[in-house]
Every structure is written in structure tokens, then in C-alpha cells.
Amino acid sequence: MKDIGHFIAGERVAGTSGVFGPIFDPATGEETGRVAFASAAEVDAAVRAAKAAQPAWAEVSVVRRMRVMFKLKELLEKNVDRLARLVTEEHGKTLEDAKGSVQRGIEVVEFACGLPHLLKGEFSHQVATGIDLWSVRHPLGVCAGITPFNFPAMIPLWMAPLAIACGNAFVLKPSEKDPSCGMALAELFLEAGVPPGIMNVVNGGKDTVDAILAHPDIAAVSFVGATATAEYIYRTGTAHGKRVQALGGAKNHMVILPDADLDMAVDALVGAAYGSAGERCMAISVAVPVGDKTADALLEKLVPRVRQLKIGPGTEPGVEMGPLVTREHLDKVRSYVELGVKEGAELLVDGRDFKMQGYEKGFYLGGCLFDRVTTNMRIYKEEIFGPVLSTVRARSFDEAVAMVNAHEYGNGVAIFTRDGDAARTFANAVNIGMVGVNVPIPVPLAFHSFGGWKRSLFGDHHTHGMEGIRFYTKLKAITGRWPTGIRAGAEFSMPLLR
Ligand code: NAD
């Protein structure tokens, strides 16, 4: 049984609060360890270590901090398999998928390797006679990251490399469901040359988060998780005077126009709806075929594909979909399937009876597919976060756009069509942060920024890319002149440009 504590001031420490949470292997359903929940005093110890280390780290030259990022990239690449295994053991997703997610995290470190360019300030020569004006970016101090269960390596890597490269210290609070990756990442940061105290991990649940939100020495909080939590983090964090970016939940639609390549659309739908058992904030959970003819043709091809999904433990080769993360989450997703039936939707594929031979206690659910879902149903309005795809038939392109825009979430959306004009009109009209044209999961690469609109993001900055650099730094503008410039003498009114 593993025993996960915290990572403070460059070392693993045991938890002292006496409060623990269980860790499960979702493939077998077995409890494989426990994680300590940090008390306010333990959070304070991490923040004190971070605060003590940060000023010296901020003084390290930009070039040396960049080299630490290069080293970190190398170490992460050497450890992809180990990290992916930790993801699969605690989250359940397939090893291939887990490796891909670690790779996407490494791409943020690659972006951070461009630090000298990213932190270049702006300089205006001779803004007035003998006067120059320049802007530079300073770190904020101690930043915190609170992350969800579905990407235990990638999402911490959206945050910590950029925060740290910019000269901040970081305190990570991983999901209590899969805490091992965060600890492993902290060790790799240290090995790469990040000084002790700059990358810390405190494990725990709500109480630990509340201690972070109230801590006066934390300047900024990055959050990714469910919308209700995101809103709470944003409101509480900003009430405590912190800069907060809080990314929330999603209900991502895929609109299929009558001229779409249906085979391409079906391949895209199966992967995007059922990959990672639907536990992705960019998963497609609503298919919107336009016109009944399109809907019938699409479902005819889709139904057998959902029935044939290869489900099993994520460590087994050839498996397409692993189990859900916990029994509690499995029960929640199953209850949504039951609700959909009660609400009158047509359940074309029912995965509720799926049993995995030899793994009867694992948290498995077969793929579920609904047709004739309507926009007033709860299974349409709420995020299910499981392998459940709803089909809502639209009568026209305009109806599909209006549907996407009326939904409270605005994370991702995709359109499948051969018509460039329709795709462009769609991309322009939708109130959604990330749009795919014949791309089902349009996650921007690390040098762009990731984030949704509406109730999928609270705060002003998306994550990684230049938005990440802006979030983790504050701007300073310096205006300078030297005695050889023109002397204006004493000025008592607004100085004017000369
Ligand atoms: P969650 O909101 O339950 O938990 C996220 C984090 O917040 C965890 O570290 C957890 O310990 C903490 N937390 C949970 N409840 C809390 C509370 N009441 N007060 C304070 N802290 C609390 O989310 P989850 O179940 O771990 O992750 C799934 C959710 O994350 C889904 O809604 C998914 O859409 C969302 N998500 C969003 C994105 C995005 O980029 N927008 C990415 C990944 C996941």
C-alpha cells in the first residue's frame, strides 16, 4: 500500500493532520494506498518554504532558468513511461492515452524553454527628449495550482513550468483521487535544478484548498476542475485579493452538417466521446446532426462502433476505453443514464450491464449512446463526464448554432463539414473558447492558450501560451532620463511631451 504525504522544501514529508483519503486502482477496484490531507499548518509550511526560496530564484538569470526548463524537458521525456503508468494506475485511462497526455504536458515545458524571448520587455526610445520608457515583467511571488483528477500529469504541467520559469515559487494541490503524479513531478523539477522550496505539493481536499485560498502569502491561484468548484475558487480567491484563473466544466457539441464526410465524423465521435471514458473536459458529449437524414445515417454507422468498443484495464494492449475513476463517479454516471431513460431519450446503446471478466470489482461502464435528446433534459444540460453521448437532432444550421450558444458551458465545439463557408460562419458565430473544424478535440498546442468561455472559465486569462506568461507575471513600466537630457525645470502641471 502506498502512503502519499506532501512535498515541501525539496523533500517528501509525511502528513501530520491524521486525515487521509483512499487511492484506488480503477481497473481492479482495489484500494492501493492512502493520501494525507494537509492541514492549514501544513499548507502554511509549504507556503513559507516557497516564500523563502522565491526571491533568490527570481534573481537567477533568465538564461539559467531557461536551461533548467531544458533539463526538465529531458527528464520528463526519460520518465514518460513511469508517469504514464502512475496516471493509468490511479486514473484508469489507457497507457497510450496516458503517455499522450504526459507528452502534451511536456510541450508546455518546451514552450517555457523559449523564456528569454517570452519575457522580453518592450522598449520605447526617446518618448520625450532624453526620456526612454520600457516595460518589464516581474514574477508575482508564490503561486498555487489546484488540479482535477482527469489529467494528473498534464494539467499540473500547464501551470507549474510557466509559473516557475517566470520566477515564481509554486504550491500544487493535486486531485486527491490520483496524487502520485504530482509528487513524481515535484521530484523531477528538483532534479532538473529547480531549488528546494520552489516546487511544493500539498495533498488534500476542500479544507486544504480553503487554506490555500485564505493564505495571505499566495499571490495567484490557477484552478482546473468542475464549474461549481471553479466558481467557488474564483469568488473566494479574489475575495482574498488573489489573481485567479479558474477553468470549469464543459458540454462540448459536435455539429455534423449534411455534407460532412460521415466516416470521418464517426471516427472522430467515437474517439472524442469515449476516449478516456469520456472523462475529458474536451470530450464530445453531444452530437448534433443537422437534418433527420444526416442523423439516421450517422447513427447507423455509430451504433455498431459504440457496441464494439474494446473496454478493459488501461494497462492491457489494444484496449480503447478503461474504467471510470472511482466507484462513486461510476454510480453518478450510471444514474445519469437512468435519468436519460426517465426523461424520455432513446437509449440506443446501453453500457450499464458491461462486466469485465476477471475484473468484476473494477469501475467499468460500457459506452452509452442516446438519440432524441432534447435541450430541456438534464442529461443535455448537465456535464456527465463519462462514456455517454447524447444526440440532439437539429433542423437547420442556425438551430445548431443557437443550441451551442444557449448552453451554459463554452469550452469546446466542433463542426464537421466540407463547406468552408459554413465552417467559417460557424467558427465566427459560436460563443465558445475553442473551435474545431473537422477536428473533434481542438486543444490548442502549448504556444497558444487553452480556455473556455461562459461558465467554463472564471477569470481573465486562459492557461499556457502567452496568456500563461501574462497570468504569472505583473507588468512594470519604467520611465527614465539622465542629466544630459533636456532639463525641464520644476513642473507643476501634467508634463507634456516635448
Ligand atoms: P473537482 O472540481 O471535483 O476537483 C478539482 C479540484 O478541486 C481537486 O483538486 C479537488 O480536491 C478540489 N475540490 C473539489 N471540491 C472542492 C470544493 N468544494 N472546494 C474546494 N476544492 C474542491 O473536479 P474533478 O472531478 O477532479 O475534475 C473533473 C472536472 O474538471 C470536470 O468538470 C471537467 O470538465 C473539469 N475539467 C476542466 C478542464 C478545463 O480545462 N476546463 C480540464 C480538465 C477537467
Side-chain angles (χ1 to χ4, degrees), residues 244-280:
V244 181
Q245 54 177 185
L247 282 68
K251 196 83 179 176
N252 306 312
H253 299 61
M254 179 166 138
V255 175
I256 302 106
L257 296 190
D259 71 341
D261 179 328
L262 274 194
D263 291 318
M264 184 189 186
V266 168
D267 279 341
L269 260 181
V270 180
Y274 302 100
S276 200
E279 292 169 327
R280 290 179 180 142

PDB file of all heavy atoms in Angstrom, residues 244-280:
ATOM      1  N   VAL A 244      -6.857  35.136  -9.915  1.00  0.00           N
ATOM      2  CA  VAL A 244      -7.368  33.765 -10.072  1.00  0.00           C
ATOM      3  C   VAL A 244      -7.751  33.487 -11.530  1.00  0.00           C
ATOM      4  O   VAL A 244      -8.389  34.316 -12.174  1.00  0.00           O
ATOM      5  CB  VAL A 244      -8.611  33.513  -9.175  1.00  0.00           C
ATOM      6  CG1 VAL A 244      -9.113  32.074  -9.347  1.00  0.00           C
ATOM      7  CG2 VAL A 244      -8.306  33.778  -7.708  1.00  0.00           C
ATOM      8  N   GLN A 245      -7.332  32.349 -12.017  1.00  0.00           N
ATOM      9  CA  GLN A 245      -7.860  31.811 -13.282  1.00  0.00           C
ATOM     10  C   GLN A 245      -8.464  30.460 -12.916  1.00  0.00           C
ATOM     11  O   GLN A 245      -7.791  29.617 -12.348  1.00  0.00           O
ATOM     12  CB  GLN A 245      -6.779  31.669 -14.362  1.00  0.00           C
ATOM     13  CG  GLN A 245      -5.573  30.875 -13.964  1.00  0.00           C
ATOM     14  CD  GLN A 245      -4.525  30.653 -15.056  1.00  0.00           C
ATOM     15  OE1 GLN A 245      -3.570  29.936 -14.831  1.00  0.00           O
ATOM     16  NE2 GLN A 245      -4.658  31.246 -16.214  1.00  0.00           N
ATOM     17  N   ALA A 246      -9.750  30.267 -13.190  1.00  0.00           N
ATOM     18  CA  ALA A 246     -10.425  29.041 -12.761  1.00  0.00           C
ATOM     19  C   ALA A 246     -11.180  28.443 -13.942  1.00  0.00           C
ATOM     20  O   ALA A 246     -12.194  28.988 -14.393  1.00  0.00           O
ATOM     21  CB  ALA A 246     -11.365  29.333 -11.596  1.00  0.00           C
ATOM     22  N   LEU A 247     -10.658  27.336 -14.447  1.00  0.00           N
ATOM     23  CA  LEU A 247     -11.253  26.677 -15.612  1.00  0.00           C
ATOM     24  C   LEU A 247     -12.239  25.615 -15.138  1.00  0.00           C
ATOM     25  O   LEU A 247     -11.913  24.818 -14.258  1.00  0.00           O
ATOM     26  CB  LEU A 247     -10.167  26.027 -16.471  1.00  0.00           C
ATOM     27  CG  LEU A 247      -9.352  26.970 -17.376  1.00  0.00           C
ATOM     28  CD1 LEU A 247      -8.477  27.904 -16.575  1.00  0.00           C
ATOM     29  CD2 LEU A 247      -8.508  26.186 -18.367  1.00  0.00           C
ATOM     30  N   GLY A 248     -13.439  25.628 -15.703  1.00  0.00           N
ATOM     31  CA  GLY A 248     -14.503  24.766 -15.199  1.00  0.00           C
ATOM     32  C   GLY A 248     -14.915  23.668 -16.165  1.00  0.00           C
ATOM     33  O   GLY A 248     -14.144  23.259 -17.033  1.00  0.00           O
ATOM     34  N   GLY A 249     -16.139  23.201 -15.996  1.00  0.00           N
ATOM     35  CA  GLY A 249     -16.649  22.052 -16.730  1.00  0.00           C
ATOM     36  C   GLY A 249     -17.088  22.385 -18.147  1.00  0.00           C
ATOM     37  O   GLY A 249     -16.901  23.513 -18.632  1.00  0.00           O
ATOM     38  N   ALA A 250     -17.682  21.383 -18.797  1.00  0.00           N
ATOM     39  CA  ALA A 250     -17.950  21.542 -20.225  1.00  0.00           C
ATOM     40  C   ALA A 250     -19.087  20.651 -20.694  1.00  0.00           C
ATOM     41  O   ALA A 250     -19.439  19.664 -20.035  1.00  0.00           O
ATOM     42  CB  ALA A 250     -16.695  21.184 -21.004  1.00  0.00           C
ATOM     43  N   LYS A 251     -19.657  21.009 -21.798  1.00  0.00           N
ATOM     44  CA  LYS A 251     -20.591  20.151 -22.537  1.00  0.00           C
ATOM     45  C   LYS A 251     -20.300  20.478 -23.999  1.00  0.00           C
ATOM     46  O   LYS A 251     -20.776  21.491 -24.529  1.00  0.00           O
ATOM     47  CB  LYS A 251     -22.033  20.532 -22.151  1.00  0.00           C
ATOM     48  CG  LYS A 251     -23.056  19.496 -22.529  1.00  0.00           C
ATOM     49  CD  LYS A 251     -23.146  18.392 -21.499  1.00  0.00           C
ATOM     50  CE  LYS A 251     -24.192  17.368 -21.893  1.00  0.00           C
ATOM     51  NZ  LYS A 251     -24.224  16.232 -20.952  1.00  0.00           N
ATOM     52  N   ASN A 252     -19.454  19.675 -24.618  1.00  0.00           N
ATOM     53  CA  ASN A 252     -18.967  20.044 -25.945  1.00  0.00           C
ATOM     54  C   ASN A 252     -19.798  19.386 -27.039  1.00  0.00           C
ATOM     55  O   ASN A 252     -20.003  18.176 -27.044  1.00  0.00           O
ATOM     56  CB  ASN A 252     -17.498  19.644 -26.081  1.00  0.00           C
ATOM     57  CG  ASN A 252     -16.668  20.227 -24.939  1.00  0.00           C
ATOM     58  OD1 ASN A 252     -16.774  21.411 -24.638  1.00  0.00           O
ATOM     59  ND2 ASN A 252     -15.880  19.394 -24.274  1.00  0.00           N
ATOM     60  N   HIS A 253     -20.270  20.221 -27.967  1.00  0.00           N
ATOM     61  CA  HIS A 253     -21.110  19.752 -29.062  1.00  0.00           C
ATOM     62  C   HIS A 253     -20.259  19.468 -30.307  1.00  0.00           C
ATOM     63  O   HIS A 253     -19.277  20.163 -30.545  1.00  0.00           O
ATOM     64  CB  HIS A 253     -22.126  20.825 -29.450  1.00  0.00           C
ATOM     65  CG  HIS A 253     -23.088  21.214 -28.361  1.00  0.00           C
ATOM     66  ND1 HIS A 253     -22.698  21.766 -27.155  1.00  0.00           N
ATOM     67  CD2 HIS A 253     -24.449  21.149 -28.319  1.00  0.00           C
ATOM     68  CE1 HIS A 253     -23.776  22.013 -26.422  1.00  0.00           C
ATOM     69  NE2 HIS A 253     -24.849  21.643 -27.097  1.00  0.00           N
ATOM     70  N   MET A 254     -20.708  18.501 -31.084  1.00  0.00           N
ATOM     71  CA  MET A 254     -20.125  18.320 -32.413  1.00  0.00           C
ATOM     72  C   MET A 254     -21.264  18.400 -33.413  1.00  0.00           C
ATOM     73  O   MET A 254     -22.186  17.564 -33.391  1.00  0.00           O
ATOM     74  CB  MET A 254     -19.418  16.972 -32.513  1.00  0.00           C
ATOM     75  CG  MET A 254     -18.820  16.728 -33.867  1.00  0.00           C
ATOM     76  SD  MET A 254     -17.672  15.329 -33.727  1.00  0.00           S
ATOM     77  CE  MET A 254     -18.090  14.488 -35.207  1.00  0.00           C
ATOM     78  N   VAL A 255     -21.223  19.427 -34.242  1.00  0.00           N
ATOM     79  CA  VAL A 255     -22.274  19.644 -35.237  1.00  0.00           C
ATOM     80  C   VAL A 255     -21.858  18.952 -36.527  1.00  0.00           C
ATOM     81  O   VAL A 255     -20.730  19.131 -37.001  1.00  0.00           O
ATOM     82  CB  VAL A 255     -22.481  21.164 -35.453  1.00  0.00           C
ATOM     83  CG1 VAL A 255     -23.475  21.418 -36.573  1.00  0.00           C
ATOM     84  CG2 VAL A 255     -22.933  21.832 -34.146  1.00  0.00           C
ATOM     85  N   ILE A 256     -22.767  18.134 -37.052  1.00  0.00           N
ATOM     86  CA  ILE A 256     -22.446  17.390 -38.280  1.00  0.00           C
ATOM     87  C   ILE A 256     -23.399  17.875 -39.371  1.00  0.00           C
ATOM     88  O   ILE A 256     -24.613  17.661 -39.294  1.00  0.00           O
ATOM     89  CB  ILE A 256     -22.589  15.861 -38.059  1.00  0.00           C
ATOM     90  CG1 ILE A 256     -21.673  15.416 -36.909  1.00  0.00           C
ATOM     91  CG2 ILE A 256     -22.231  15.090 -39.326  1.00  0.00           C
ATOM     92  CD1 ILE A 256     -22.386  15.090 -35.642  1.00  0.00           C
ATOM     93  N   LEU A 257     -22.864  18.558 -40.376  1.00  0.00           N
ATOM     94  CA  LEU A 257     -23.696  19.076 -41.471  1.00  0.00           C
ATOM     95  C   LEU A 257     -23.942  17.964 -42.504  1.00  0.00           C
ATOM     96  O   LEU A 257     -23.177  16.994 -42.583  1.00  0.00           O
ATOM     97  CB  LEU A 257     -23.022  20.284 -42.116  1.00  0.00           C
ATOM     98  CG  LEU A 257     -22.831  21.520 -41.216  1.00  0.00           C
ATOM     99  CD1 LEU A 257     -22.380  22.725 -42.032  1.00  0.00           C
ATOM    100  CD2 LEU A 257     -24.109  21.869 -40.444  1.00  0.00           C
ATOM    101  N   PRO A 258     -24.997  18.107 -43.294  1.00  0.00           N
ATOM    102  CA  PRO A 258     -25.343  17.040 -44.255  1.00  0.00           C
ATOM    103  C   PRO A 258     -24.216  16.710 -45.235  1.00  0.00           C
ATOM    104  O   PRO A 258     -24.139  15.590 -45.727  1.00  0.00           O
ATOM    105  CB  PRO A 258     -26.557  17.619 -44.994  1.00  0.00           C
ATOM    106  CG  PRO A 258     -27.142  18.603 -44.050  1.00  0.00           C
ATOM    107  CD  PRO A 258     -26.012  19.179 -43.262  1.00  0.00           C
ATOM    108  N   ASP A 259     -23.318  17.663 -45.504  1.00  0.00           N
ATOM    109  CA  ASP A 259     -22.258  17.390 -46.485  1.00  0.00           C
ATOM    110  C   ASP A 259     -20.988  16.809 -45.844  1.00  0.00           C
ATOM    111  O   ASP A 259     -19.982  16.615 -46.519  1.00  0.00           O
ATOM    112  CB  ASP A 259     -21.896  18.681 -47.238  1.00  0.00           C
ATOM    113  CG  ASP A 259     -21.157  19.665 -46.355  1.00  0.00           C
ATOM    114  OD1 ASP A 259     -21.226  19.531 -45.108  1.00  0.00           O
ATOM    115  OD2 ASP A 259     -20.488  20.558 -46.889  1.00  0.00           O
ATOM    116  N   ALA A 260     -21.033  16.527 -44.542  1.00  0.00           N
ATOM    117  CA  ALA A 260     -19.813  16.054 -43.855  1.00  0.00           C
ATOM    118  C   ALA A 260     -19.406  14.681 -44.363  1.00  0.00           C
ATOM    119  O   ALA A 260     -20.248  13.902 -44.826  1.00  0.00           O
ATOM    120  CB  ALA A 260     -20.067  15.983 -42.348  1.00  0.00           C
ATOM    121  N   ASP A 261     -18.117  14.386 -44.256  1.00  0.00           N
ATOM    122  CA  ASP A 261     -17.634  13.026 -44.510  1.00  0.00           C
ATOM    123  C   ASP A 261     -18.033  12.203 -43.287  1.00  0.00           C
ATOM    124  O   ASP A 261     -17.433  12.333 -42.210  1.00  0.00           O
ATOM    125  CB  ASP A 261     -16.109  13.059 -44.688  1.00  0.00           C
ATOM    126  CG  ASP A 261     -15.525  11.677 -44.935  1.00  0.00           C
ATOM    127  OD1 ASP A 261     -16.081  10.695 -44.396  1.00  0.00           O
ATOM    128  OD2 ASP A 261     -14.527  11.589 -45.645  1.00  0.00           O
ATOM    129  N   LEU A 262     -19.073  11.376 -43.434  1.00  0.00           N
ATOM    130  CA  LEU A 262     -19.656  10.703 -42.262  1.00  0.00           C
ATOM    131  C   LEU A 262     -18.700   9.703 -41.625  1.00  0.00           C
ATOM    132  O   LEU A 262     -18.696   9.537 -40.400  1.00  0.00           O
ATOM    133  CB  LEU A 262     -20.958  10.002 -42.636  1.00  0.00           C
ATOM    134  CG  LEU A 262     -22.221  10.863 -42.591  1.00  0.00           C
ATOM    135  CD1 LEU A 262     -23.447   9.971 -42.639  1.00  0.00           C
ATOM    136  CD2 LEU A 262     -22.275  11.765 -41.362  1.00  0.00           C
ATOM    137  N   ASP A 263     -17.883   9.040 -42.433  1.00  0.00           N
ATOM    138  CA  ASP A 263     -16.935   8.078 -41.841  1.00  0.00           C
ATOM    139  C   ASP A 263     -15.930   8.813 -40.966  1.00  0.00           C
ATOM    140  O   ASP A 263     -15.588   8.360 -39.868  1.00  0.00           O
ATOM    141  CB  ASP A 263     -16.220   7.281 -42.940  1.00  0.00           C
ATOM    142  CG  ASP A 263     -17.193   6.338 -43.629  1.00  0.00           C
ATOM    143  OD1 ASP A 263     -18.003   5.710 -42.911  1.00  0.00           O
ATOM    144  OD2 ASP A 263     -17.180   6.267 -44.863  1.00  0.00           O
ATOM    145  N   MET A 264     -15.486   9.946 -41.474  1.00  0.00           N
ATOM    146  CA  MET A 264     -14.547  10.768 -40.695  1.00  0.00           C
ATOM    147  C   MET A 264     -15.231  11.255 -39.404  1.00  0.00           C
ATOM    148  O   MET A 264     -14.649  11.216 -38.313  1.00  0.00           O
ATOM    149  CB  MET A 264     -14.136  11.971 -41.559  1.00  0.00           C
ATOM    150  CG  MET A 264     -13.103  12.878 -40.968  1.00  0.00           C
ATOM    151  SD  MET A 264     -12.988  14.341 -42.058  1.00  0.00           S
ATOM    152  CE  MET A 264     -11.629  15.173 -41.316  1.00  0.00           C
ATOM    153  N   ALA A 265     -16.485  11.670 -39.536  1.00  0.00           N
ATOM    154  CA  ALA A 265     -17.217  12.188 -38.372  1.00  0.00           C
ATOM    155  C   ALA A 265     -17.423  11.083 -37.332  1.00  0.00           C
ATOM    156  O   ALA A 265     -17.299  11.318 -36.122  1.00  0.00           O
ATOM    157  CB  ALA A 265     -18.552  12.771 -38.806  1.00  0.00           C
ATOM    158  N   VAL A 266     -17.722   9.867 -37.805  1.00  0.00           N
ATOM    159  CA  VAL A 266     -17.963   8.759 -36.869  1.00  0.00           C
ATOM    160  C   VAL A 266     -16.665   8.384 -36.150  1.00  0.00           C
ATOM    161  O   VAL A 266     -16.648   8.212 -34.923  1.00  0.00           O
ATOM    162  CB  VAL A 266     -18.588   7.552 -37.604  1.00  0.00           C
ATOM    163  CG1 VAL A 266     -18.567   6.304 -36.742  1.00  0.00           C
ATOM    164  CG2 VAL A 266     -20.030   7.886 -37.996  1.00  0.00           C
ATOM    165  N   ASP A 267     -15.560   8.279 -36.898  1.00  0.00           N
ATOM    166  CA  ASP A 267     -14.261   8.014 -36.253  1.00  0.00           C
ATOM    167  C   ASP A 267     -13.991   9.065 -35.181  1.00  0.00           C
ATOM    168  O   ASP A 267     -13.578   8.746 -34.063  1.00  0.00           O
ATOM    169  CB  ASP A 267     -13.119   8.092 -37.286  1.00  0.00           C
ATOM    170  CG  ASP A 267     -12.995   6.797 -38.077  1.00  0.00           C
ATOM    171  OD1 ASP A 267     -13.506   5.766 -37.607  1.00  0.00           O
ATOM    172  OD2 ASP A 267     -12.385   6.841 -39.168  1.00  0.00           O
ATOM    173  N   ALA A 268     -14.232  10.323 -35.547  1.00  0.00           N
ATOM    174  CA  ALA A 268     -13.957  11.430 -34.626  1.00  0.00           C
ATOM    175  C   ALA A 268     -14.837  11.325 -33.380  1.00  0.00           C
ATOM    176  O   ALA A 268     -14.369  11.487 -32.254  1.00  0.00           O
ATOM    177  CB  ALA A 268     -14.186  12.763 -35.325  1.00  0.00           C
ATOM    178  N   LEU A 269     -16.116  11.002 -33.609  1.00  0.00           N
ATOM    179  CA  LEU A 269     -17.062  10.948 -32.482  1.00  0.00           C
ATOM    180  C   LEU A 269     -16.717   9.832 -31.503  1.00  0.00           C
ATOM    181  O   LEU A 269     -16.760  10.024 -30.284  1.00  0.00           O
ATOM    182  CB  LEU A 269     -18.474  10.697 -33.006  1.00  0.00           C
ATOM    183  CG  LEU A 269     -19.394  11.892 -33.130  1.00  0.00           C
ATOM    184  CD1 LEU A 269     -20.750  11.435 -33.640  1.00  0.00           C
ATOM    185  CD2 LEU A 269     -19.553  12.623 -31.805  1.00  0.00           C
ATOM    186  N   VAL A 270     -16.382   8.651 -32.051  1.00  0.00           N
ATOM    187  CA  VAL A 270     -16.096   7.520 -31.172  1.00  0.00           C
ATOM    188  C   VAL A 270     -14.896   7.851 -30.278  1.00  0.00           C
ATOM    189  O   VAL A 270     -14.929   7.647 -29.065  1.00  0.00           O
ATOM    190  CB  VAL A 270     -15.804   6.233 -31.990  1.00  0.00           C
ATOM    191  CG1 VAL A 270     -15.498   5.075 -31.062  1.00  0.00           C
ATOM    192  CG2 VAL A 270     -16.986   5.882 -32.835  1.00  0.00           C
ATOM    193  N   GLY A 271     -13.851   8.391 -30.879  1.00  0.00           N
ATOM    194  CA  GLY A 271     -12.651   8.727 -30.093  1.00  0.00           C
ATOM    195  C   GLY A 271     -12.918   9.836 -29.101  1.00  0.00           C
ATOM    196  O   GLY A 271     -12.505   9.766 -27.934  1.00  0.00           O
ATOM    197  N   ALA A 272     -13.641  10.867 -29.560  1.00  0.00           N
ATOM    198  CA  ALA A 272     -13.806  12.066 -28.720  1.00  0.00           C
ATOM    199  C   ALA A 272     -14.849  11.878 -27.627  1.00  0.00           C
ATOM    200  O   ALA A 272     -14.811  12.548 -26.598  1.00  0.00           O
ATOM    201  CB  ALA A 272     -14.163  13.259 -29.594  1.00  0.00           C
ATOM    202  N   ALA A 273     -15.810  10.969 -27.848  1.00  0.00           N
ATOM    203  CA  ALA A 273     -16.845  10.772 -26.823  1.00  0.00           C
ATOM    204  C   ALA A 273     -16.453   9.692 -25.824  1.00  0.00           C
ATOM    205  O   ALA A 273     -16.806   9.764 -24.648  1.00  0.00           O
ATOM    206  CB  ALA A 273     -18.172  10.400 -27.483  1.00  0.00           C
ATOM    207  N   TYR A 274     -15.739   8.667 -26.297  1.00  0.00           N
ATOM    208  CA  TYR A 274     -15.497   7.500 -25.432  1.00  0.00           C
ATOM    209  C   TYR A 274     -14.034   7.345 -25.020  1.00  0.00           C
ATOM    210  O   TYR A 274     -13.730   6.568 -24.113  1.00  0.00           O
ATOM    211  CB  TYR A 274     -16.001   6.233 -26.122  1.00  0.00           C
ATOM    212  CG  TYR A 274     -17.485   6.331 -26.444  1.00  0.00           C
ATOM    213  CD1 TYR A 274     -17.925   6.658 -27.725  1.00  0.00           C
ATOM    214  CD2 TYR A 274     -18.435   6.159 -25.447  1.00  0.00           C
ATOM    215  CE1 TYR A 274     -19.275   6.789 -28.015  1.00  0.00           C
ATOM    216  CE2 TYR A 274     -19.785   6.292 -25.722  1.00  0.00           C
ATOM    217  CZ  TYR A 274     -20.208   6.610 -27.006  1.00  0.00           C
ATOM    218  OH  TYR A 274     -21.544   6.758 -27.266  1.00  0.00           O
ATOM    219  N   GLY A 275     -13.113   8.060 -25.691  1.00  0.00           N
ATOM    220  CA  GLY A 275     -11.712   8.018 -25.272  1.00  0.00           C
ATOM    221  C   GLY A 275     -11.613   8.518 -23.843  1.00  0.00           C
ATOM    222  O   GLY A 275     -12.385   9.400 -23.426  1.00  0.00           O
ATOM    223  N   SER A 276     -10.720   7.897 -23.054  1.00  0.00           N
ATOM    224  CA  SER A 276     -10.552   8.275 -21.655  1.00  0.00           C
ATOM    225  C   SER A 276     -11.891   8.164 -20.895  1.00  0.00           C
ATOM    226  O   SER A 276     -12.141   8.883 -19.928  1.00  0.00           O
ATOM    227  CB  SER A 276      -9.985   9.692 -21.532  1.00  0.00           C
ATOM    228  OG  SER A 276      -9.414   9.874 -20.257  1.00  0.00           O
ATOM    229  N   ALA A 277     -12.762   7.253 -21.391  1.00  0.00           N
ATOM    230  CA  ALA A 277     -14.082   7.019 -20.793  1.00  0.00           C
ATOM    231  C   ALA A 277     -14.901   8.313 -20.652  1.00  0.00           C
ATOM    232  O   ALA A 277     -15.702   8.467 -19.737  1.00  0.00           O
ATOM    233  CB  ALA A 277     -13.949   6.317 -19.430  1.00  0.00           C
ATOM    234  N   GLY A 278     -14.665   9.230 -21.585  1.00  0.00           N
ATOM    235  CA  GLY A 278     -15.422  10.488 -21.562  1.00  0.00           C
ATOM    236  C   GLY A 278     -15.002  11.440 -20.456  1.00  0.00           C
ATOM    237  O   GLY A 278     -15.617  12.491 -20.272  1.00  0.00           O
ATOM    238  N   GLU A 279     -13.937  11.083 -19.749  1.00  0.00           N
ATOM    239  CA  GLU A 279     -13.508  11.945 -18.634  1.00  0.00           C
ATOM    240  C   GLU A 279     -12.469  12.964 -19.122  1.00  0.00           C
ATOM    241  O   GLU A 279     -11.343  13.012 -18.652  1.00  0.00           O
ATOM    242  CB  GLU A 279     -12.898  11.095 -17.510  1.00  0.00           C
ATOM    243  CG  GLU A 279     -13.900  10.199 -16.810  1.00  0.00           C
ATOM    244  CD  GLU A 279     -13.224   9.182 -15.896  1.00  0.00           C
ATOM    245  OE1 GLU A 279     -12.103   8.725 -16.219  1.00  0.00           O
ATOM    246  OE2 GLU A 279     -13.810   8.838 -14.869  1.00  0.00           O
ATOM    247  N   ARG A 280     -12.888  13.743 -20.115  1.00  0.00           N
ATOM    248  CA  ARG A 280     -12.042  14.830 -20.613  1.00  0.00           C
ATOM    249  C   ARG A 280     -12.903  16.073 -20.698  1.00  0.00           C
ATOM    250  O   ARG A 280     -14.053  15.985 -21.158  1.00  0.00           O
ATOM    251  CB  ARG A 280     -11.546  14.535 -22.028  1.00  0.00           C
ATOM    252  CG  ARG A 280     -10.536  13.436 -22.168  1.00  0.00           C
ATOM    253  CD  ARG A 280     -10.198  13.300 -23.658  1.00  0.00           C
ATOM    254  NE  ARG A 280      -9.234  12.261 -23.922  1.00  0.00           N
ATOM    255  CZ  ARG A 280      -9.296  11.466 -24.996  1.00  0.00           C
ATOM    256  NH1 ARG A 280     -10.271  11.604 -25.870  1.00  0.00           N
ATOM    257  NH2 ARG A 280      -8.370  10.557 -25.191  1.00  0.00           N
TER     258      ARG A 280
END
